[in-house]
Amino acid sequence: MNIKKIVDLSMPITSQTPVYPGDPKPYIEPAATFAQNGYHVSRLVLGSHTGTHVDAPFHFREDGLRIDEVPLTYFLGKGIVIDVTKKNNGEAVTLDDVTAYLPQLEPGMIALFHTGWSQYAGTERYFRHPYVAIDVILAMLERGIRTFFIDALNIDPPDGSSFPAHEAITAANGVIGENFTNFDKIDFANPYIIALPLYLPECDGSPVRAVAVELDSY
């Protein structure tokens, strides 16, 4: 098995990284410097959903799996890029938009909703993203999908009025990933997706370094 190409799907974490309204803003500063200490160490202040991240079921369910309890197999596997780039501000991704993809879904695959919204990161428009309608989520859960990634701030409506996708996915002990990038650069079939969380016992989510890998076979 050889790696032919790697696409970084991660958003850089800086003090300018957009966060969901009310979440902690990232803060990074030197804790030790080479000039003063002979080595470099940085102090990181981050929310568990900073930048490109994954949500554990515990994020929305008191009885849900914590991030360290979710099987690691949920964070890596064959991905399918679902092109919904024609959606506009606050518009729903509907069953009609994904009908052609449903027959391709198999248990264990990772659904990648490509809205194209990552291009707006750092602007006000990033907070007016499309979202995935609940009937789409239910149809995919029925087909054995348990991992859902999107290249936007939130898989649910941008007004924060309801969280049906979060509630349905976490009720199935599934995983949500948000703030992904570069789905447009996955220009090969059968991408192998890796988005492993940090080992954070009892936590509700984690930033990830996510990649799509083109392999000669798997």
Side-chain angles (χ1 to χ4, degrees), residues 121-136:
T123 73
E124 185 274 336
R125 192 176 183 186
Y126 192 65
F127 296 87
R128 295 186 280 123
H129 53 81
Y131 67 97
V132 183
I134 186 59
D135 52 354
V136 173

Side-chain angles (χ1 to χ4, degrees), residues 114-190:
H114 178 206
T115 69
W117 226 252
S118 58
Q119 67 183 301
Y120 302 119
T123 73
E124 185 274 336
R125 192 176 183 186
Y126 192 65
F127 296 87
R128 295 186 280 123
H129 53 81
Y131 67 97
V132 183
I134 186 59
D135 52 354
V136 173
I137 299 298
L138 295 176
M140 292 187 173
L141 286 171
E142 289 176 1
R143 287 163 174 78
I145 303 301
R146 292 294 180 269
T147 306
F148 302 79
F149 294 164
I150 190 168
D151 58 348
L153 185 70
N154 186 3
I155 200 170
D156 275 313
D159 62 5
S161 60
S162 62
F163 301 92
H166 277 82
E167 290 166 356
I169 294 168
T170 56
N173 269 325
V175 167
I176 300 161
E178 295 157 328
N179 289 327
F180 281 68
T181 68
N182 294 330
F183 284 172
D184 59 312
K185 295 182 180 179
I186 305 176
D187 56 359
F188 47 90
N190 302 320

Side-chain angles (χ1 to χ4, degrees), residues 45-82:
V45 179
L46 305 173
S48 53
H49 302 266
T50 296
T52 305
H53 68 273
V54 291
D55 299 352
F58 182 58
H59 181 41
F60 263 75
R61 294 185 66 85
E62 192 65 29
D63 61 348
L65 297 177
R66 275 66 164 174
I67 198 66
D68 59 312
E69 298 172 330
V70 179
L72 291 178
T73 52
Y74 282 38
F75 303 107
L76 69 173
K78 181 179 178 181
I80 179 168
V81 180
I82 299 168

